[in-house]
Amino acid sequence: GAMGVGATWLDELAFDAEGQNPHHPSRGPKNPAAASLIPGGSSCGSAVAVAAGLCDLALGVDTCGSVRVPAACCGVYGMKPTFG
């Protein structure tokens, strides 16, 4: 079975393409594949956790690429299942 290991970063209102929140002291997670680049999208915490090796897989919210864009930015795979 699976075991939850923690919570990850999600942008305010799940509405951002960069994975950054100016209202939070840390400003958002750092891209483990390239620290000078953005981690991408609103569910970037999930992609960062997988790319950093903290977990094997993670869940995220994908409305307009919010899982797939961060996965691409961090060098991991992101999947959005089809409807129906």
Side-chain angles (χ1 to χ4, degrees), residues 4-76:
V5 294
T8 61
W9 179 276
L10 178 68
D11 276 336
E12 192 172 38
L13 303 174
F15 189 72
D16 185 38
E18 298 178 352
Q20 314 243 330
N21 184 346
H23 307 296
H24 193 275
S26 72
R27 301 190 57 81
K30 304 299 178 229
N31 186 336
S36 63
L37 301 177
I38 61 169
S42 63
S43 292
C44 61
S46 298
V48 167
V50 173
L54 301 175
C55 56
D56 295 325
L57 60 95
L59 299 176
V61 177
D62 192 319
T63 51
C64 294
S66 298
V67 165
R68 295 163 286 158
V69 170
C73 288
C74 293
V76 296

